[in-house]
Amino acid sequence: QCQKRSYDSFRDSLLHARPTLIEYLPLKSEGGAVWVDIGVGTARNLEYLNPKTIRRHFKRIYIVDISPSLLSIASERLRKFGLEELVTLVLHDVTSDSVFEELGLPLASVDVVTMSYSLSMIPDKDRAVENALKLHKPNGEGYLGIADFWMAGNFEHEMGRAKRKARAAEAKAHKWWFAHDHVHLLDDDQICVKGLRNTSLVWDQRFRGGVPFLPMLKPVHGVYIVAT
């Protein structure tokens, strides 16, 4: 509770891929889309789009988070921008089977689901991805967008042997450091590939980004968007 006021300001300087994810979201020109945003309880992602753009493209937005204090910030933010009637705040665990009932949405009815630096903090990543994909419209009409920390960049397999070994050692150090804050870097060979195996890749961009007060620590950030 005492940290919630500074929560967004600190994370903005750490979570470099978040604005990129929102920039690359596939928005339907005809509007009327449904967006489920998982794990950004402060509604910070909405501020990367102006209210006019949000109203033009979305008929309903759901923000799902397990933190009451962060959702209280979201409530204030929605009042500030006059979006209370458009956005529903859902206090629930996305890995629970009851999340669909809490959302009040039919399966396969959502246009966009985003997970912005939340998947790396969810213990049951398989279930989180599984439930997110259950919400999506089929036949290429639904999209899942993930912005998060990653173990590896896009083209590390093309590095020379010595550089690959050095990068692998660095990634293990990053994994160890972030795990102290219950953040588990995403690994291509684990949940993200397995859980998204039957989807079509739309965008995969990785880049290095710094950590506040630790200039030598530059983990890999990435935006990963798939169609279902």
Side-chain angles (χ1 to χ4, degrees), residues 53-109:
T53 300
I54 291 172
R55 292 183 182 281
R56 182 165 67 246
H57 291 284
F58 297 101
K59 68 178 181 182
R60 200 73 202 162
I61 298 172
Y62 298 82
I63 296 175
V64 185
D65 204 284
I66 60 172
S67 169
S69 60
L70 296 185
L71 288 174
S72 70
I73 295 177
S75 183
E76 295 173 10
R77 186 164 270 147
L78 297 178
R79 286 195 295 272
K80 176 182 176 182
F81 291 101
L83 294 171
E84 306 102 303
E85 84 290 350
L86 184 67
V87 182
T88 299
L89 305 180
V90 180
L91 178 63
H92 211 71
D93 181 353
V94 71
T95 66
S96 170
D97 289 336
S98 57
V99 69
F100 307 108
E101 182 179 351
E102 289 294 320
L103 282 166
L105 288 169
L107 299 183
S109 66

Side-chain angles (χ1 to χ4, degrees), residues 120 125 149-152 167-187 190 217 219-220:
S120 59
K125 293 174 175 51
F149 298 108
W150 295 77
M151 284 287 288
R167 177 76 262 280
E170 181 190 38
K172 288 182 180 179
H174 290 170
K175 182 178 181 180
W176 173 84
W177 190 86
F178 277 95
H180 284 77
D181 286 325
H182 307 289
V183 174
H184 302 281
L185 278 62
L186 305 185
D187 192 327
Q190 297 176 348
L217 186 63
V220 174

